[in-house]
Each structure stands twice: as C-alpha cells, then as structure tokens.
Amino acid sequence: MIRNTRAVVWCVLSLGLIVNPMVEEVSAAQQGFLAKRMSRVLTPKGVNTPESQAQSCPDPSAYLLVDQQVAQTVHPQQSEQEEHSGQGLPAEAKPSGPVGVAPEHKKEVLPSWMVRTFDLPGAGVLTPKGTLIVEPSLQFAHLSSNRVTLTGFTIVPAITIGLINIQGVSRDIYTASLVGRYGITNRLEVEVRVPYLYREDSITQRPVATPSQADTLSTFNGSGLGDVETTGRYQINQGGPDKPYFIAFTRFKSTSGTGPFEVPQDPVTGVQTELPTGSGFYIVQPGLTVLFPSDPVVFFGGASFIYNIPRDVGSGIGRVDPGSGGNANIGLGLSLNEKLSVTLGYDHTIFSKPTSASNLLLTTAPQATHIGVLLIGGSYRWSDRSFVNFVVGVGATREAPDLQVTLRIPTAFSLWK
C-alpha cells in the first residue's frame, strides 16, 4: 500500500515538471502572437520596428511614436506644414493666436486719461491730433435766497420803526449744451460750446408792519440761446508719470444770448417781465492748469483771471462795468478700475462790485461776491470711444447755487486714420 502511494506521488511530480515548461512556452507564444497581431494592425507595411516590441506586450505610446514616424515618412511636407500652422490639431487644441505673441488689444479712441469729469475751462489733458470729441450735456441748477429789507429807523438793535419787507427768491435754470473739441496738434486744441437755457424765477414778497399780511407771488421765465463760448488750450511741457503737465488756456464768451438790459420790463415797477439768457457782456478769461498724475490718482489745480469788458448799455444808464474777478479750483481723480473713476474738487470764483456811470443801479451789491462750489463726480466707460460723466455741485457760499447737477456724454471720433 505504501509503495503504491509513493508511486502515485512520484507520477504527479514528474507530470508537473513536464507540464510547467509547456505552459511557459504557450504563454510566450501567446504574447508573441499578440505582438505580431498588433504590429500588423498598427504598423503599415514597409516600416521596421524594434524586435523587442514583438517579444512582449507592446506599450501603446510606442505605437504613437511609430505613427508619427510613418506620417513623416509617407507625407513629410504635410507634417511640417501642420506642425507650423496647427491645422493637424483638433479644434479644441488650436491656439487662438500666434504662440508666444501677446494678442492685440483694440485701440481706445477715447482713453481714460483724456476724459474730463468736471466742466472747468482748463480741466483735462488735451485731445489728440485729428480727434473730434462731441459732448452733449444737461445741467440743472437751483438757487434760493431770502432777503429782509428794512425801511425805517432803528432806535435800539431790537426795535425798528418803519416798514419791513421779506423777500424770497427761488430760481431754476435748465441748460442743454453741445460741446465740440478738436485736437489741432497733440499740444493744441480748440473747443466751442453752444448752450440753450430755460429759466424760471419765483419771487415771494410779504410786507410786515402794514395792514396787509398776504404773500405776493410773482413768477417769471425766459428761454433761448445762451452765450456761445470758445476756448483754446496749449500744453506747455511734455509731462509724464509723476511729472506735472502745464496747460495754458484762454476762454472767450460772446453775447449771443439775451442780456439783462435787452429784456422787456414793467413800465410801472421796472421789474423784468422776461428773464435773460445771457450776461450781456463779453468775457475774456486767461488761465493756467496743472495736472500731476500719480497712479492711480491724478491731482489737478488751476487759476485764471476773468475780465468782464464794460460797455454802454443805453436806456439812460450809460456805461456799466459788471466787475472782473478771478477763479481757482483744486481736486483729485481716483481710478477704481478700468471703467469707473471718481473725482472730488472745489471751485471758487470772486467778482468785484459792479458799477455804472449814472450810479442808478447796483448800489446795494457787496464789495466782493464769492461763489464757491464743492464738486463730486464720477465717470464710467460706456464703450471704447464714449464715457458717461455725472457731477453734483453743492454751494459753499451764499451767492453760489444750492444744487447743481450735470450729466455729460463725451464721444470721440477719429477724423484722420
């Protein structure tokens, strides 16, 4: 029995030693067979591949390399063209532009540095040569004042004997303007402004210390073409980042609007029955503006002299000098991003007392009139050639407008390419 068991074990071991080499040979044969099949499918005729690829299961990346070699062998010129042009790549892998070259940006017809948020005579860097800027604008201004007139005698500061007249004036002015600026050279530009005005005044009078205690309300209005203005600006120096720009300008205002001495008046009271749309006097205003850019802030300031040219107005009044004065402004502009910027500033104007040859008018005017306005504005890029500017002005002195709101939309056009 034991002998039979030993015989069976030896038979099994001998059979295993014989079968194992056969299995290894079959596996190797199968791998070689698979390698030959893949080489027949992936490799065209006439191309010699390394012998090591036929002995083991091939790596797919090796066949990709073989495909490239085949393509260069069969179509060498086409492969070189596709390599340079990118036509052989899928649509998703094709570059949108030349490799290593930055894409071209669309040129801005109206750059941010050229936009003037505030409507001041000397504000802003000049318009480039051959560029025309058309700027429609709308402005609303409201003025109000209360005045007490005493006609009598004051015995002590708290007691007045006579008549007291309380007068309130409310004035609204609506102005629509069309402005055109053109760059003659990169350092010289001209500007023309054509305004159209509508004015309405409401005067409330209430006499005190008289039998009548009722208020008297009078309303007057007027509309028409305003005073057309023209301005020339010249940039003195080159300027640049962290370097100031000096800009000289001269503004001239005509008398195209209806003057205060040309409107009809009530023959009894002498009160104007229609409001004027112009000042009635020519104005020449030379000045200088300084701009200092310090990214992302631009500081600006300017000063000018306002000369009102006297003239004879007739009507028994004679020669009238409306008074000359000066103007100064200061502020800064801050860029928040590529499209939005804000501007803060203050503008102050001083006029001397008006005088007349007959001394019949303007005797109650102060020796000097101060008009101070605090300006807060913003600018938003609408397109590559247009901006939207919005400015709010708040009066800082008694003679200044209580509120002034301005909306301007400058748009640039390149006349010469």
Side-chain angles (χ1 to χ4, degrees), residues 214-262:
D215 294 341
T216 302
L217 178 62
S218 302
T219 302
F220 309 95
N221 56 56
S223 61
L225 180 67
D227 293 336
V228 177
E229 304 176 13
T230 179
T231 305
R233 301 181 181 90
Y234 178 75
Q235 182 176 324
I236 300 175
N237 66 327
Q238 181 66 27
D242 295 327
K243 294 181 181 179
Y245 293 84
F246 295 94
I247 300 174
F249 67 92
T250 300
R251 167 178 166 259
F252 175 78
K253 187 182 73 64
S254 67
T255 59
S256 57
T258 304
F261 302 101
E262 300 172 358

Short mmCIF file of all heavy atoms in Angstrom, two decimals, residues 214-262:
data_model
loop_
_atom_site.label_atom_id
_atom_site.label_comp_id
_atom_site.label_asym_id
_atom_site.label_seq_id
_atom_site.Cartn_x
_atom_site.Cartn_y
_atom_site.Cartn_z
N ALA A 214 -50.87 139.27 3.45
CA ALA A 214 -50.88 138.23 2.41
C ALA A 214 -49.57 138.26 1.62
O ALA A 214 -48.99 139.33 1.38
CB ALA A 214 -52.06 138.44 1.47
N ASP A 215 -49.12 137.07 1.22
CA ASP A 215 -47.91 136.97 0.42
C ASP A 215 -48.23 137.27 -1.04
O ASP A 215 -49.29 136.92 -1.55
CB ASP A 215 -47.31 135.56 0.51
CG ASP A 215 -46.81 135.25 1.91
OD1 ASP A 215 -46.59 136.20 2.67
OD2 ASP A 215 -46.65 134.05 2.23
N THR A 216 -47.30 137.90 -1.70
CA THR A 216 -47.42 138.20 -3.12
C THR A 216 -46.43 137.34 -3.88
O THR A 216 -45.21 137.44 -3.66
CB THR A 216 -47.15 139.68 -3.39
OG1 THR A 216 -48.07 140.49 -2.64
CG2 THR A 216 -47.30 139.99 -4.87
N LEU A 217 -46.94 136.48 -4.77
CA LEU A 217 -46.09 135.56 -5.53
C LEU A 217 -46.05 136.00 -6.98
O LEU A 217 -47.08 136.18 -7.63
CB LEU A 217 -46.61 134.13 -5.43
CG LEU A 217 -45.83 133.07 -6.23
CD1 LEU A 217 -44.40 132.96 -5.74
CD2 LEU A 217 -46.55 131.72 -6.16
N SER A 218 -44.84 136.17 -7.49
CA SER A 218 -44.65 136.55 -8.90
C SER A 218 -43.73 135.53 -9.54
O SER A 218 -42.70 135.14 -8.96
CB SER A 218 -44.04 137.95 -9.00
OG SER A 218 -44.86 138.90 -8.34
N THR A 219 -44.10 135.10 -10.75
CA THR A 219 -43.32 134.09 -11.48
C THR A 219 -42.91 134.65 -12.84
O THR A 219 -43.75 135.21 -13.57
CB THR A 219 -44.12 132.80 -11.68
OG1 THR A 219 -44.51 132.28 -10.41
CG2 THR A 219 -43.28 131.75 -12.39
N PHE A 220 -41.63 134.50 -13.17
CA PHE A 220 -41.09 134.95 -14.45
C PHE A 220 -40.28 133.82 -15.06
O PHE A 220 -39.72 132.98 -14.36
CB PHE A 220 -40.19 136.19 -14.25
CG PHE A 220 -40.83 137.28 -13.46
CD1 PHE A 220 -40.62 137.38 -12.08
CD2 PHE A 220 -41.65 138.21 -14.07
CE1 PHE A 220 -41.20 138.39 -11.34
CE2 PHE A 220 -42.24 139.22 -13.34
CZ PHE A 220 -42.02 139.32 -11.97
N ASN A 221 -40.22 133.81 -16.38
CA ASN A 221 -39.42 132.79 -17.06
C ASN A 221 -38.82 133.36 -18.33
O ASN A 221 -39.22 134.44 -18.80
CB ASN A 221 -40.25 131.54 -17.37
CG ASN A 221 -41.49 131.85 -18.17
OD1 ASN A 221 -41.40 132.42 -19.25
ND2 ASN A 221 -42.67 131.48 -17.67
N GLY A 222 -37.92 132.63 -18.89
CA GLY A 222 -37.26 133.03 -20.13
C GLY A 222 -36.52 131.85 -20.72
O GLY A 222 -36.05 130.96 -20.00
N SER A 223 -36.39 131.80 -22.02
CA SER A 223 -35.69 130.71 -22.69
C SER A 223 -35.11 131.23 -23.99
O SER A 223 -35.58 132.22 -24.56
CB SER A 223 -36.65 129.54 -22.98
OG SER A 223 -37.70 129.95 -23.83
N GLY A 224 -34.10 130.52 -24.45
CA GLY A 224 -33.47 130.90 -25.71
C GLY A 224 -32.00 130.52 -25.73
O GLY A 224 -31.47 129.87 -24.82
N LEU A 225 -31.33 130.92 -26.80
CA LEU A 225 -29.91 130.64 -26.96
C LEU A 225 -29.10 131.40 -25.92
O LEU A 225 -29.34 132.57 -25.65
CB LEU A 225 -29.47 131.05 -28.37
CG LEU A 225 -28.00 130.83 -28.73
CD1 LEU A 225 -27.68 129.34 -28.78
CD2 LEU A 225 -27.68 131.50 -30.06
N GLY A 226 -28.13 130.71 -25.33
CA GLY A 226 -27.25 131.34 -24.36
C GLY A 226 -26.02 131.95 -25.01
O GLY A 226 -25.96 132.09 -26.24
N ASP A 227 -25.05 132.29 -24.20
CA ASP A 227 -23.81 132.89 -24.70
C ASP A 227 -22.89 131.79 -25.22
O ASP A 227 -22.46 130.90 -24.47
CB ASP A 227 -23.11 133.67 -23.59
CG ASP A 227 -23.90 134.91 -23.18
OD1 ASP A 227 -24.71 135.39 -23.99
OD2 ASP A 227 -23.73 135.38 -22.03
N VAL A 228 -22.57 131.84 -26.51
CA VAL A 228 -21.66 130.88 -27.12
C VAL A 228 -20.24 131.16 -26.65
O VAL A 228 -19.80 132.31 -26.60
CB VAL A 228 -21.76 130.93 -28.65
CG1 VAL A 228 -20.77 129.96 -29.30
CG2 VAL A 228 -23.19 130.61 -29.09
N GLU A 229 -19.50 130.09 -26.32
CA GLU A 229 -18.14 130.23 -25.81
C GLU A 229 -17.16 129.46 -26.69
O GLU A 229 -17.52 128.46 -27.31
CB GLU A 229 -18.03 129.68 -24.38
CG GLU A 229 -18.99 130.30 -23.40
CD GLU A 229 -18.89 129.65 -22.03
OE1 GLU A 229 -17.91 128.90 -21.80
OE2 GLU A 229 -19.78 129.87 -21.19
N THR A 230 -15.94 129.93 -26.72
CA THR A 230 -14.85 129.22 -27.40
C THR A 230 -13.61 129.28 -26.51
O THR A 230 -13.35 130.29 -25.85
CB THR A 230 -14.56 129.83 -28.78
OG1 THR A 230 -13.49 129.12 -29.40
CG2 THR A 230 -14.17 131.29 -28.67
N THR A 231 -12.86 128.17 -26.50
CA THR A 231 -11.69 128.06 -25.63
C THR A 231 -10.55 127.42 -26.41
O THR A 231 -10.75 126.45 -27.16
CB THR A 231 -11.99 127.20 -24.38
OG1 THR A 231 -13.11 127.75 -23.71
CG2 THR A 231 -10.80 127.17 -23.43
N GLY A 232 -9.35 127.96 -26.24
CA GLY A 232 -8.14 127.38 -26.81
C GLY A 232 -7.21 126.95 -25.70
O GLY A 232 -7.02 127.67 -24.71
N ARG A 233 -6.62 125.75 -25.84
CA ARG A 233 -5.72 125.21 -24.82
C ARG A 233 -4.42 124.78 -25.47
O ARG A 233 -4.41 124.20 -26.56
CB ARG A 233 -6.37 124.03 -24.10
CG ARG A 233 -7.67 124.36 -23.40
CD ARG A 233 -8.24 123.14 -22.67
NE ARG A 233 -9.50 123.44 -22.01
CZ ARG A 233 -10.69 123.31 -22.58
NH1 ARG A 233 -10.77 122.87 -23.83
NH2 ARG A 233 -11.79 123.61 -21.92
N TYR A 234 -3.31 125.01 -24.74
CA TYR A 234 -1.99 124.63 -25.23
C TYR A 234 -1.20 124.00 -24.10
O TYR A 234 -1.10 124.56 -23.00
CB TYR A 234 -1.22 125.85 -25.78
CG TYR A 234 0.17 125.50 -26.25
CD1 TYR A 234 0.36 124.84 -27.46
CD2 TYR A 234 1.29 125.84 -25.48
CE1 TYR A 234 1.64 124.52 -27.89
CE2 TYR A 234 2.56 125.52 -25.91
CZ TYR A 234 2.73 124.86 -27.11
OH TYR A 234 4.00 124.53 -27.53
N GLN A 235 -0.66 122.80 -24.36
CA GLN A 235 0.16 122.10 -23.37
C GLN A 235 1.60 122.60 -23.48
O GLN A 235 2.25 122.43 -24.51
CB GLN A 235 0.09 120.59 -23.60
CG GLN A 235 0.87 119.77 -22.59
CD GLN A 235 0.69 118.28 -22.80
OE1 GLN A 235 -0.39 117.83 -23.16
NE2 GLN A 235 1.75 117.52 -22.60
N ILE A 236 2.11 123.17 -22.38
CA ILE A 236 3.41 123.82 -22.42
C ILE A 236 4.56 122.81 -22.42
O ILE A 236 5.50 122.93 -23.21
CB ILE A 236 3.54 124.79 -21.23
CG1 ILE A 236 2.45 125.87 -21.31
CG2 ILE A 236 4.92 125.43 -21.20
CD1 ILE A 236 2.41 126.79 -20.12
N ASN A 237 4.51 121.81 -21.55
CA ASN A 237 5.62 120.86 -21.41
C ASN A 237 5.17 119.46 -21.80
O ASN A 237 4.00 119.21 -22.08
CB ASN A 237 6.15 120.87 -19.98
CG ASN A 237 5.12 120.35 -18.99
OD1 ASN A 237 3.92 120.53 -19.17
ND2 ASN A 237 5.58 119.69 -17.94
N GLN A 238 6.15 118.51 -21.78
CA GLN A 238 5.86 117.14 -22.17
C GLN A 238 5.09 116.40 -21.09
O GLN A 238 4.11 115.72 -21.36
CB GLN A 238 7.18 116.41 -22.47
CG GLN A 238 7.00 114.97 -22.92
CD GLN A 238 6.30 114.85 -24.27
OE1 GLN A 238 6.39 115.76 -25.09
NE2 GLN A 238 5.60 113.75 -24.48
N GLY A 239 5.52 116.51 -19.83
CA GLY A 239 4.86 115.82 -18.74
C GLY A 239 5.06 114.32 -18.81
O GLY A 239 5.80 113.80 -19.64
N GLY A 240 4.43 113.59 -17.89
CA GLY A 240 4.54 112.14 -17.86
C GLY A 240 4.20 111.62 -16.48
O GLY A 240 3.73 112.37 -15.61
N PRO A 241 4.42 110.30 -16.22
CA PRO A 241 4.15 109.74 -14.89
C PRO A 241 4.98 110.42 -13.82
O PRO A 241 6.20 110.56 -13.96
CB PRO A 241 4.53 108.26 -15.06
CG PRO A 241 4.44 108.00 -16.52
CD PRO A 241 4.83 109.28 -17.19
N ASP A 242 4.32 110.86 -12.77
CA ASP A 242 4.96 111.58 -11.67
C ASP A 242 5.64 112.86 -12.14
O ASP A 242 6.58 113.34 -11.51
CB ASP A 242 5.97 110.68 -10.94
CG ASP A 242 5.29 109.52 -10.24
OD1 ASP A 242 4.15 109.70 -9.77
OD2 ASP A 242 5.90 108.44 -10.17
N LYS A 243 5.18 113.39 -13.26
CA LYS A 243 5.68 114.67 -13.76
C LYS A 243 4.47 115.56 -14.08
O LYS A 243 3.50 115.09 -14.67
CB LYS A 243 6.52 114.49 -15.02
CG LYS A 243 7.82 113.72 -14.78
CD LYS A 243 8.61 113.60 -16.06
CE LYS A 243 9.90 112.82 -15.84
NZ LYS A 243 10.67 112.69 -17.10
N PRO A 244 4.51 116.83 -13.72
CA PRO A 244 3.33 117.69 -13.92
C PRO A 244 3.14 118.08 -15.38
O PRO A 244 4.09 118.15 -16.16
CB PRO A 244 3.65 118.91 -13.06
CG PRO A 244 5.14 118.97 -13.01
CD PRO A 244 5.61 117.53 -13.04
N TYR A 245 1.88 118.30 -15.74
CA TYR A 245 1.50 118.88 -17.03
C TYR A 245 1.07 120.33 -16.78
O TYR A 245 0.25 120.59 -15.91
CB TYR A 245 0.34 118.12 -17.67
CG TYR A 245 0.64 116.72 -18.10
CD1 TYR A 245 0.59 115.66 -17.21
CD2 TYR A 245 0.96 116.44 -19.43
CE1 TYR A 245 0.85 114.37 -17.62
CE2 TYR A 245 1.23 115.14 -19.85
CZ TYR A 245 1.16 114.11 -18.94
OH TYR A 245 1.43 112.83 -19.34
N PHE A 246 1.61 121.26 -17.57
CA PHE A 246 1.21 122.65 -17.50
C PHE A 246 0.44 123.00 -18.78
O PHE A 246 0.97 122.85 -19.88
CB PHE A 246 2.43 123.57 -17.34
CG PHE A 246 3.16 123.37 -16.04
CD1 PHE A 246 4.24 122.51 -15.96
CD2 PHE A 246 2.75 124.04 -14.90
CE1 PHE A 246 4.92 122.33 -14.77
CE2 PHE A 246 3.41 123.88 -13.70
CZ PHE A 246 4.50 123.00 -13.64
N ILE A 247 -0.80 123.45 -18.60
CA ILE A 247 -1.68 123.74 -19.73
C ILE A 247 -2.17 125.18 -19.62
O ILE A 247 -2.81 125.55 -18.62
CB ILE A 247 -2.87 122.77 -19.77
CG1 ILE A 247 -2.38 121.33 -19.89
CG2 ILE A 247 -3.82 123.11 -20.91
CD1 ILE A 247 -3.47 120.30 -19.80
N ALA A 248 -1.88 125.97 -20.61
CA ALA A 248 -2.37 127.35 -20.68
C ALA A 248 -3.63 127.39 -21.52
O ALA A 248 -3.74 126.67 -22.52
CB ALA A 248 -1.30 128.27 -21.26
N PHE A 249 -4.59 128.23 -21.12
CA PHE A 249 -5.84 128.31 -21.87
C PHE A 249 -6.35 129.74 -21.87
O PHE A 249 -6.00 130.56 -21.00
CB PHE A 249 -6.90 127.38 -21.26
CG PHE A 249 -7.37 127.80 -19.89
CD1 PHE A 249 -8.48 128.62 -19.73
CD2 PHE A 249 -6.71 127.36 -18.76
CE1 PHE A 249 -8.91 129.00 -18.48
CE2 PHE A 249 -7.13 127.73 -17.49
CZ PHE A 249 -8.24 128.54 -17.35
N THR A 250 -7.20 130.02 -22.85
CA THR A 250 -7.88 131.31 -22.95
C THR A 250 -9.32 131.05 -23.38
O THR A 250 -9.56 130.39 -24.40
CB THR A 250 -7.20 132.24 -23.97
OG1 THR A 250 -5.86 132.47 -23.56
CG2 THR A 250 -7.94 133.57 -24.05
N ARG A 251 -10.26 131.56 -22.60
CA ARG A 251 -11.69 131.38 -22.87
C ARG A 251 -12.30 132.72 -23.25
O ARG A 251 -12.02 133.75 -22.63
CB ARG A 251 -12.38 130.81 -21.64
CG ARG A 251 -13.90 130.85 -21.66
CD ARG A 251 -14.48 130.21 -20.42
NE ARG A 251 -15.89 130.49 -20.24
CZ ARG A 251 -16.37 131.40 -19.41
NH1 ARG A 251 -15.54 132.13 -18.66
NH2 ARG A 251 -17.66 131.61 -19.31
N PHE A 252 -13.16 132.69 -24.28
CA PHE A 252 -13.86 133.90 -24.72
C PHE A 252 -15.35 133.60 -24.78
O PHE A 252 -15.78 132.62 -25.39
CB PHE A 252 -13.36 134.34 -26.10
CG PHE A 252 -14.12 135.51 -26.65
CD1 PHE A 252 -13.88 136.80 -26.20
CD2 PHE A 252 -15.09 135.32 -27.63
CE1 PHE A 252 -14.59 137.88 -26.71
CE2 PHE A 252 -15.81 136.38 -28.13
CZ PHE A 252 -15.56 137.67 -27.67
N LYS A 253 -16.14 134.44 -24.12
CA LYS A 253 -17.59 134.29 -24.11
C LYS A 253 -18.23 135.45 -24.85
O LYS A 253 -17.92 136.62 -24.60
CB LYS A 253 -18.12 134.24 -22.67
CG LYS A 253 -19.62 133.90 -22.58
CD LYS A 253 -20.10 133.92 -21.14
CE LYS A 253 -20.19 135.33 -20.62
NZ LYS A 253 -21.22 136.12 -21.34
N SER A 254 -19.15 135.11 -25.76
CA SER A 254 -19.81 136.12 -26.57
C SER A 254 -21.07 136.63 -25.88
O SER A 254 -21.36 136.28 -24.74
CB SER A 254 -20.15 135.54 -27.95
OG SER A 254 -21.15 134.54 -27.80
N THR A 255 -21.81 137.44 -26.59
CA THR A 255 -23.09 137.97 -26.09
C THR A 255 -24.24 137.53 -26.99
O THR A 255 -25.16 138.31 -27.28
CB THR A 255 -23.03 139.51 -26.02
OG1 THR A 255 -22.77 140.02 -27.33
CG2 THR A 255 -21.96 139.98 -25.05
N SER A 256 -24.20 136.27 -27.42
CA SER A 256 -25.25 135.77 -28.31
C SER A 256 -26.59 135.60 -27.59
O SER A 256 -27.65 135.60 -28.22
CB SER A 256 -24.82 134.43 -28.92
OG SER A 256 -24.52 133.50 -27.89
N GLY A 257 -26.58 135.43 -26.27
CA GLY A 257 -27.82 135.34 -25.52
C GLY A 257 -28.45 136.71 -25.28
O GLY A 257 -27.85 137.76 -25.50
N THR A 258 -29.66 136.67 -24.80
CA THR A 258 -30.38 137.92 -24.49
C THR A 258 -29.87 138.46 -23.16
O THR A 258 -29.93 137.79 -22.13
CB THR A 258 -31.89 137.67 -24.40
OG1 THR A 258 -32.34 137.09 -25.63
CG2 THR A 258 -32.63 138.97 -24.16
N GLY A 259 -29.37 139.71 -23.17
CA GLY A 259 -28.79 140.32 -21.99
C GLY A 259 -29.84 140.87 -21.03
O GLY A 259 -31.02 141.03 -21.39
N PRO A 260 -29.44 141.20 -19.80
CA PRO A 260 -30.40 141.72 -18.81
C PRO A 260 -30.95 143.09 -19.16
O PRO A 260 -32.03 143.46 -18.66
CB PRO A 260 -29.58 141.75 -17.51
CG PRO A 260 -28.16 141.82 -17.96
CD PRO A 260 -28.09 141.06 -19.23
N PHE A 261 -30.26 143.83 -20.00
CA PHE A 261 -30.75 145.16 -20.39
C PHE A 261 -31.53 145.13 -21.71
O PHE A 261 -31.91 146.18 -22.23
CB PHE A 261 -29.57 146.13 -20.51
CG PHE A 261 -28.77 146.26 -19.24
CD1 PHE A 261 -27.58 145.59 -19.09
CD2 PHE A 261 -29.22 147.06 -18.20
CE1 PHE A 261 -26.84 145.70 -17.93
CE2 PHE A 261 -28.50 147.19 -17.03
CZ PHE A 261 -27.29 146.50 -16.89
N GLU A 262 -31.75 143.93 -22.23
CA GLU A 262 -32.46 143.78 -23.50
C GLU A 262 -33.82 143.14 -23.34
O GLU A 262 -34.59 143.06 -24.31
CB GLU A 262 -31.61 142.94 -24.47
CG GLU A 262 -30.24 143.56 -24.77
CD GLU A 262 -29.34 142.62 -25.56
OE1 GLU A 262 -29.80 141.48 -25.83
OE2 GLU A 262 -28.21 143.01 -25.89
#
